[in-house]
């Protein structure tokens, strides 16, 4: 039986991939680097630093000293401005997280920076429902490397045992992901994955190794997940 959920952030909780792409296009254009939609979505699961470095590499350029940090700071600043009036959370996600937290321990695993994650969780009031948060700063390797989900599993298991629960096994922890790189990271961490086609088609998530696909938010309810794993 499932005891814990490890959820991705961008594309699962917050619908900001189009916002992130637009801001990156604007910021990188000021540096003379073009970013296409295909470029952006081919890098899903990559942390921000790796993303910017990859953009420079595609353009056969090398960023100057501190240039990557400068770009990342500008991107985060403009992102905060873009979501200031209303957080673009996916419809129903707040209800899902609150309801899921009654039955499962929740962790968040993302290649976003901690500042952006904390901003959304504080503004939405959802932070209290997550026992652990793994951000880009907490690991050395981006998805599809399994480090982030191995870390998330270990941290969440430690949080559970410190609260008096028995240690959990890998089959008792489910990953919820929207990108092929994230799915592959979860599978490589020996966890089963529920794919959510918010960002890419379901077929791409299945090909990456997702065992289940949530057709819509109604598929996310804990009862559905529990029944799926009982089969």
């Amino acid at each position: 039986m499932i005891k814990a959920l490890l959820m991705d952030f961008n594309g699962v909780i917050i619908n900001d991939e189009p916002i992130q792409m637009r801001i990156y296009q604007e910021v990188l254009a000021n540096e003379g680097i073009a970013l296409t939609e295909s470029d952006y979505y081919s890098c899903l699961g990559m942390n921000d630093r790796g993303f910017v470095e990859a953009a420079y590499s595609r353009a056969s350029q090398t960023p100057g000293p501190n240039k990557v940090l400068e770009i990342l700071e500008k991107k985060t600043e403009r992102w905060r401005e873009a979501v200031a009036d209303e957080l673009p959370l996916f419809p129903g996600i707040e209800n899902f997280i609150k309801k899921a937290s009654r039955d499962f321990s929740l962790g968040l695993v993302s290649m976003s920076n901690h500042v952006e994650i904390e901003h959304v969780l504080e503004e939405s009031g959802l932070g209290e429902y997550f026992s652990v948060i793994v951000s880009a700063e907490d690991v050395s390797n981006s998805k599809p490397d399994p480090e982030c989900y191995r870390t998330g599993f270990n941290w969440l298991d430690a949080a559970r045992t410190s609260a008096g629960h028995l240690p959990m096994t890998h089959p008792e922890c489910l990953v919820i992901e929207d990108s092929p790189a994230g799915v592959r990271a979860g599978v490589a961490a020996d966890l089963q994955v529920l794919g959510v086609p918010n960002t890419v088609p379901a077929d791409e998530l299945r090909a990456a190794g997702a065992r289940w696909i949530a057709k819509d938010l109604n598929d996310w309810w804990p009862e559905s997940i529990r029944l799926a794993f009982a089969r």
Side-chain angles (χ1 to χ4, degrees):
M1 182 176 290
I2 299 303
K3 296 180 179 178
L5 306 179
L6 289 175
M7 302 178 64
D8 183 35
F9 181 64
N10 307 97
V12 171
I13 293 175
I14 184 168
N15 184 17
D16 70 340
E17 294 290 9
I19 296 173
Q20 296 264 357
M21 180 178 68
R22 174 178 57 78
I23 293 173
Y24 264 129
Q25 287 174 327
E26 295 172 356
V27 173
L28 289 171
N30 292 333
E31 304 298 325
I33 296 176
L35 178 70
T36 67
E37 182 175 338
S38 177
D39 291 335
Y40 180 84
Y41 284 101
S42 69
C43 293
L44 291 176
M46 190 178 290
N47 64 34
D48 285 335
R49 176 171 290 277
F51 180 89
V52 173
E53 290 173 347
Y56 269 88
S57 178
R58 281 193 304 271
S60 300
Q61 296 186 35
T62 301
N66 301 318
K67 176 56 68 173
V68 172
L69 179 59
E70 176 187 325
I71 289 174
L72 296 182
E73 290 176 345
K74 287 181 180 178
K75 191 274 293 190
T76 295
E77 179 183 355
R78 295 188 184 181
W79 173 86
R80 290 186 68 136
E81 293 172 356
V83 302
D85 292 336
E86 182 178 2
L87 292 175
L89 301 179
F90 281 101
I93 191 63
E94 293 173 273
N95 191 36
F96 167 72
I97 290 171
K98 293 173 183 178
K99 186 173 181 181
S101 68
R102 301 172 193 163
D103 296 311
F104 308 113
S105 300
L106 302 184
L108 194 153
V109 177
S110 174
M111 291 298 93
S112 284
N113 64 65
H114 201 75
V115 169
E116 293 182 12
I117 295 171
E118 283 295 336
H119 176 74
V120 172
L121 295 183
E122 289 177 7
E123 291 296 312
S124 65
L126 294 175
E128 64 180 285
Y129 300 101
F130 291 94
S131 299
V132 300
I133 298 170
V134 179
S135 69
E137 293 94 331
D138 298 311
V139 295
S140 300
N141 303 293
S142 294
K143 302 171 184 178
D145 190 281
E147 180 188 5
C148 58
Y149 278 113
R150 287 175 178 162
T151 300
F153 176 87
N154 291 334
W155 286 7
L156 194 53
D157 187 41
R160 285 174 48 81
T161 54
S162 67
H165 297 287
L166 292 173
M168 65 178 175
T169 62
H170 285 79
E172 293 173 328
C173 183
L174 175 69
V175 167
I176 300 180
E177 264 286 353
D178 74 303
S179 74
V183 171
R184 289 194 292 271
V187 171
D190 198 27
L191 301 170
Q192 299 184 83
V193 182
L194 173 70
V196 185
N198 287 336
T199 309
V200 303
D203 288 347
E204 293 186 32
L205 300 176
R206 289 193 185 94
R211 184 168 181 180
W212 295 279
I213 299 294
K215 297 177 183 178
D216 54 49
L217 289 175
N218 290 326
D219 284 346
W220 291 25
W221 298 126
E223 293 83 358
S224 300
I225 296 173
R226 187 181 293 110
L227 288 173
F229 274 76
R231 294 172 185 168

